[in-house]
């Protein structure tokens, strides 16, 4: 694609105009000027560079004597600045310190700021003076000078027409640029050397909720706040020094993961591209955890097999030894201790197998209050009489996509750990809350002694335990593993009274359909027929597509589509159901289905993009993902 030559052509055209021209924006900073403007006033390069302030220019001219003798330059400059802030259309003529006479004509722009044209009219003024002095004697020369003046006026009119055309082209170019940046799913901005925004699309509060929309002229430090600005300041500093850089951080105000790219503009400013990469980060974390699990499974499977055989041999030999006659009295205790240790080794092997093999995630529409009630019921019977479990009331409307079994297992594990820390009395508290519409956060706190420094650092490491021989060291690692595979995070800490564990999972509302129009995307005709019958049996109307492009076209043409059910692997093209779900993110709920193994990278990517059904599945499995409600 060829670059748009309009900006360079416009600049060349402006430089050919005899008049000087400037455009200042609504923050009194230079946006555009041409070469005759610099030549007319003999200005240094710094004052004709975009971003130079109106105050700097007026101060320079006043100190050089452009306006004649001035008693108080600061007051003079301030008066001019105040007039510029209350800008009105004007035309004036003034004689400069060098004796030349110029006309100054200014007009406001619709988007703020103004355009000014400077014309040297010394020759015209000389003609007018000559006409006045010799009008009675030189009528013939008067006519000639009048004709010359008319020609000058015609030239000036032609120049004004050219300036109007240049203004129109500049406005169109700016409009095209702004439209393009507004269509990007990212915040695009330009800051000057002082860290003030001189350009921005209206996407900052979309990428980083809670920030203002109109930020032109504002400081980037004030707009982002101390925390976020502190995270990007090193990268921004490198960009000011001429080095392109990238920074990633989690915004504490919105809990979003943000990536910012900083590019020097060559004139002392920096271009900034900011994107919300929360979902990308969740998928990346889950994929990394899956790879770790795969490596752990490969390393432990052979060892576990051999170790299991050894334990079997030990059990057999000890059983035979126990049946031998005439054993010393102390042999019975030693044999029983050996058998007990061997059986514990077998239990440990089973726990390792559960952690490395795992099971597929099974998200379902889940009510948070119901889930917490189930956890409270299950945990109550395991707690001593003087150790209470308090479940704080939660305020969630509707249902959310979770694997309820894994969440219950994880919360029970955390509660049992808290029980072991508290002993026979105390209090355990379980809360659930939404964090900026991005995360579902479960917090378990207790009144025990809290985590030791070693536990805070290694608590999620396999086989680390503070319970001595009573602990396997696999409880928290299994919770950590499940949370990471779901795209979430687990944090250990200490509160005011004891330990605190925060478990975060992606907050995804469950789709709501009832008698809805469902788009079915499946490339195999026989399977398409099967799933169509399943959907219609649930009371839904169905429209079909065989590939991603066809599905995208249907969603654009049929606004009544309420849900998309798509296979992950679509043989009709190179694009997958994951691509479809990512393209429709935020516009339509998507459910993916696949026969891929949970360890497959494409399955992991799919599970972080949308709910996934493992093939083959039944109608009740699909129903578990849908929250139906009676038609109003």
């Amino acid at each position: 694609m060829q670059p748009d030559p309009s900006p360079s052509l416009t600049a060349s055209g402006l430089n050919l105009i005899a008049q000087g021209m400037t455009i200042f924006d609504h923050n009194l900073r230079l946006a555009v000027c041409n070469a005759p403007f610099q030549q007319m006033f003999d200005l240094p390069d710094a004052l004709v560079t975009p971003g130079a302030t109106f105050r700097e220019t007026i101060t320079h001219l006043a100190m050089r004597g452009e306006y004649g003798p001035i008693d108080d330059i600061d007051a003079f400059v301030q008066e001019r600045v105040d007039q510029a802030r209350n800008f009105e259309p004007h035309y004036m003529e003034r004689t400069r310190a060098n004796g030349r006479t110029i006309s100054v004509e200014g007009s406001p722009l619709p988007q703020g700021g103004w355009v000014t044209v400077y014309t040297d009219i010394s020759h015209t003024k000389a003609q007018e003076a000559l006409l006045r002095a010799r009008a009675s004697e030189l009528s013939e020369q008067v006519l000639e000078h009048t004709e010359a003046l008319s020609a000058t006026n015609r030239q000036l009119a032609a120049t004004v027409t050219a300036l109007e055309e240049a203004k129109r082209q500049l406005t169109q170019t700016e409009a095209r640029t702004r439209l393009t940046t507004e269509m990007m799913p990212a915040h695009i901005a330009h800051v000057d050397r002082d860290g003030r925004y001189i350009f921005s699309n209206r996407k900052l509060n979309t990428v980083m909720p809670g920030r203002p929309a109109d930020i032109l002229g504002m400081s980037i430090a004030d707009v982002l706040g101390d925390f976020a600005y502190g995270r990007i300041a090193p990268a921004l500093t490198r960009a000011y020094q001429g080095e392109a850089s990238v920074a990633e951080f989690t915004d504490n105000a919105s809990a979003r993961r943000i990536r910012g790219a900083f590019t020097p503009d060559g004139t002392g400013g920096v271009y900034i591209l900011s994107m919300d990469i929360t979902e990308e980060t969740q998928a990346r974390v889950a994929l990394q955890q899956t790879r770790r699990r795969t490596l752990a499974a490969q390393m432990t499977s052979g060892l576990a097999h051999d170790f299991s055989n050894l334990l079997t041999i030990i059990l057999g030999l000890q059983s035979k030894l126990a049946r031998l006659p005439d054993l010393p009295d102390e042999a019975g205790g030693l044999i029983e201790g050996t058998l007990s240790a061997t059986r514990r080794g077998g239990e440990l092997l089973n726990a390792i197998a559960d952690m490395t093999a795992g099971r597929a995630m099974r998200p379902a529409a889940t009510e948070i209050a119901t889930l917490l009630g189930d956890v409270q019921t299950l945990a109550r019977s395991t707690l001593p009489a003087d150790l209470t479990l308090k479940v704080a009331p939660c305020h969630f409307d509707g249902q959310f996509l979770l694997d309820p079994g894994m969440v219950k297992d994880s919360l029970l594990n955390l509660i049992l750990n808290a029980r072991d820390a508290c002993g026979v009395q105390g209090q355990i508290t379980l809360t659930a809350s939404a964090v900026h519409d991005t995360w579902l956060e479960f917090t378990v706190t207790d009144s025990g002694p809290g985590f030791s420094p070693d536990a805070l650092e290694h608590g999620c490491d396999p086989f680390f335990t503070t319970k001595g021989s009573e602990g396997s060291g696999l409880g928290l690692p299994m919770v950590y593993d499940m949370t990471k595979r779901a795209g979430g995070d687990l944090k250990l800490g200490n509160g005011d009274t004891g330990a605190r564990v925060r478990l975060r999972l992606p907050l995804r509302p469950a789709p709501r359909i009832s008698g809805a129009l469902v788009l079915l995307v499946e490339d195999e005709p026989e399977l398409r027929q099967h799933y169509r019958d399943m959907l219609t049996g649930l009371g839904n109307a169905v429209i079909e597509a065989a590939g991603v492009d066809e599905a995208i076209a249907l969603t654009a043409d049929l606004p009544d589509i309420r849900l998309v059910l798509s296979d992950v692997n679509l043989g009709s093209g190179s694009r997958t159901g994951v691509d479809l779900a990512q393209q429709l993110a935020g516009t339509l709920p998507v459910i993916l289905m696949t026969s891929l193994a949970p360890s497959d990278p494409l399955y992991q990517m799919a599970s972080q993009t949308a709910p996934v059904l493992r093939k083959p599945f039944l109608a009740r499995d699909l129903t578990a993902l849908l929250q139906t409600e009676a038609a109003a």
Side-chain angles (χ1 to χ4, degrees):
M1 180 178 179
Q2 296 296 324
D4 185 358
S6 299
S8 59
L9 289 176
T10 302
S12 299
L14 293 177
N15 289 335
L16 293 175
I17 297 172
Q19 284 83 1
M21 190 201 75
T22 61
I23 297 178
F24 282 86
D25 63 19
H26 70 289
N27 290 315
L28 306 189
R29 290 181 177 270
L30 182 66
V32 175
C33 72
N34 64 351
F37 170 70
Q38 181 179 18
Q39 296 163 1
M40 180 179 294
F41 295 101
D42 190 23
L43 296 173
D45 291 341
L47 293 181
V48 294
T49 300
T53 66
F54 181 75
R55 181 184 294 274
E56 292 171 340
T57 303
I58 295 298
T59 301
H60 175 82
L61 293 174
M63 295 181 67
R64 203 179 60 186
E66 175 68 24
Y67 301 101
I70 299 174
D71 295 332
D72 188 344
I73 289 182
D74 290 339
F76 175 82
V77 171
Q78 186 60 47
E79 181 182 359
R80 291 302 182 95
V81 171
D82 293 339
Q83 290 174 353
R85 293 191 184 280
N86 301 302
F87 190 86
E88 294 182 357
H90 65 272
Y91 175 86
M92 59 175 290
E93 297 178 359
R94 69 177 178 87
T95 300
R96 301 176 59 196
N98 61 5
R100 308 291 295 179
T101 302
I102 60 171
S103 66
V104 182
E105 182 177 3
S107 299
L109 296 173
Q111 61 270 43
W114 70 90
V115 59
T116 306
V117 177
Y118 307 84
T119 307
D120 189 333
I121 58 174
S122 301
H123 181 64
T124 301
K125 286 295 183 180
Q127 288 180 334
E128 291 177 351
L130 179 63
L131 286 172
R132 284 193 298 270
R134 304 178 60 186
S136 58
E137 297 92 359
L138 300 174
S139 58
E140 184 67 27
Q141 292 184 20
V142 168
L143 292 176
E144 291 176 357
H145 285 301
T146 301
E147 291 176 356
L149 180 59
S150 298
T152 300
N153 288 336
R154 287 193 296 272
Q155 292 177 0
L156 181 59
T159 300
V160 171
T161 301
L163 285 173
E164 290 291 337
E165 177 63 19
K167 174 183 173 181
R168 185 185 65 81
Q169 292 186 11
L170 283 171
T171 303
Q172 289 181 344
T173 299
E174 181 183 356
R176 285 196 298 267
T177 301
R178 181 164 293 279
L179 178 61
T180 301
T181 59
E182 292 296 342
M183 294 174 64
M184 298 290 290
H187 178 231
I188 302 173
H190 188 193
V191 295
D192 62 13
R193 60 174 64 90
D194 298 323
R196 295 189 176 276
Y197 288 101
I198 57 177
F199 174 83
S200 172
N201 64 356
R202 293 187 293 271
K203 293 289 186 179
L204 179 59
N205 57 357
T206 300
V207 175
M208 300 175 67
R211 270 50 175 206
D214 185 8
I215 60 176
L216 288 180
M218 296 178 66
S219 165
I220 184 173
D222 295 338
V223 170
L224 297 184
D226 293 341
F227 179 86
Y229 182 74
R231 296 302 184 273
I232 61 98
L236 181 61
T237 300
R238 290 196 298 272
Y240 275 127
Q241 295 170 351
E243 176 188 353
S245 56
V246 176
E248 283 191 16
F249 67 98
T250 299
D251 180 31
N252 65 341
S254 63
R256 303 280 182 88
R257 186 70 178 174
I258 307 299
R259 176 185 296 144
F262 304 86
T263 304
D265 66 2
T267 63
V270 175
Y271 292 103
I272 303 175
L273 174 67
S274 304
M275 296 178 291
D276 180 356
I277 59 168
T278 304
E279 293 185 2
E280 175 189 332
T281 303
Q282 293 171 352
R284 185 170 65 229
V285 168
L287 185 57
Q288 290 172 347
Q289 185 65 15
T290 298
R291 289 172 177 168
R292 293 192 190 102
R293 289 167 55 85
T294 301
L295 179 61
Q298 292 172 347
M299 294 177 61
T300 59
S301 59
L303 293 174
H305 178 268
D306 293 341
F307 189 43
S308 178
N309 289 340
L310 291 175
L311 291 178
T312 302
I313 294 172
I314 293 172
L315 284 172
L317 292 175
Q318 289 297 307
S319 297
K320 290 183 178 179
L321 182 62
R323 293 195 295 269
L324 291 177
D326 302 326
L327 287 176
D329 293 338
E330 63 272 14
L334 296 175
I335 293 172
E336 182 59 34
T338 304
L339 291 173
S340 177
T342 305
R343 285 191 292 268
R344 180 166 176 75
E347 294 171 358
L348 184 60
L349 279 180
N350 292 333
I352 293 173
D354 290 341
M355 187 176 67
T356 55
R359 65 172 178 84
M361 303 292 290
R362 298 187 180 91
T366 306
E367 289 185 353
I368 305 303
T370 301
L371 183 143
L372 294 178
D374 292 343
V375 171
Q376 186 174 26
T377 300
L378 292 170
R380 187 178 292 118
S381 62
T382 67
L383 303 178
D386 293 331
L387 180 60
T388 59
L389 172 63
K390 178 183 177 182
V391 178
C394 64
H395 305 283
F396 287 93
D397 294 327
Q399 297 180 319
F400 299 85
L401 288 179
L402 301 169
D403 185 328
M406 283 193 170
V407 175
K408 290 177 186 177
D409 289 345
S410 296
L411 294 179
L412 283 172
N413 196 305
L414 297 180
I415 291 171
L416 294 178
N417 280 349
R419 177 201 64 185
D420 295 339
C422 290
V424 296
Q425 62 181 3
Q427 178 172 296
I428 302 171
T429 304
L430 170 62
T431 63
S433 60
V435 181
H436 303 295
D437 297 326
T438 304
W439 300 101
L440 171 60
E441 182 175 271
F442 297 97
T443 303
V444 177
T445 58
D446 62 56
S447 58
F451 288 109
S452 66
D454 281 348
L456 287 175
E457 184 176 358
H458 301 290
C460 294
D461 295 347
F463 308 114
F464 176 86
T465 180
T466 59
K467 302 176 185 178
S469 61
E470 298 299 322
S472 65
L474 294 176
L476 276 178
M478 292 180 70
V479 176
Y480 178 85
D481 174 73
M482 184 282 297
T483 306
K484 288 294 185 179
R485 283 200 293 136
D489 196 18
L490 187 72
K491 294 292 185 184
L492 307 183
N494 288 320
D496 297 334
T497 59
R500 180 184 64 241
V501 181
R502 288 176 176 168
L503 189 159
R504 281 185 175 182
L505 297 172
L507 183 63
R508 293 176 177 164
R512 298 170 176 262
I513 64 168
S514 177
L517 178 60
V518 178
L519 172 59
L520 172 63
V521 188
E522 170 62 66
D523 59 308
E524 293 290 341
E526 296 82 2
L527 292 176
R528 205 159 55 235
Q529 171 68 38
H530 171 69
Y531 297 130
R532 180 173 63 246
D533 294 342
M534 185 181 296
L535 287 167
T536 54
L538 295 174
N540 300 293
V542 179
I543 188 169
E544 302 171 15
V548 174
D549 294 337
E550 183 182 359
I552 293 296
L554 287 173
T555 58
D557 294 338
L558 298 174
D560 293 334
I561 294 175
R562 297 274 301 282
L563 176 73
V564 178
L565 176 63
S566 174
D567 193 9
V568 170
N569 287 320
L570 298 169
S572 57
S574 59
R575 303 178 71 188
T576 67
V578 177
D579 298 321
L580 174 62
Q582 291 173 344
Q583 188 163 346
L584 295 179
T587 59
L588 277 174
V590 179
I591 295 176
L592 297 174
M593 49 187 179
T594 185
S595 56
L596 294 172
S599 59
D600 190 288
L602 185 56
Y603 180 96
Q604 292 299 321
M605 188 179 300
S607 66
Q608 300 311 311
T609 305
V612 178
L613 282 169
R614 289 291 309 280
K615 294 181 179 180
F617 58 87
L618 302 176
R620 64 172 178 266
D621 300 317
L622 177 60
T623 304
L625 282 176
L626 308 176
Q627 178 185 7
T628 58
E629 55 184 13

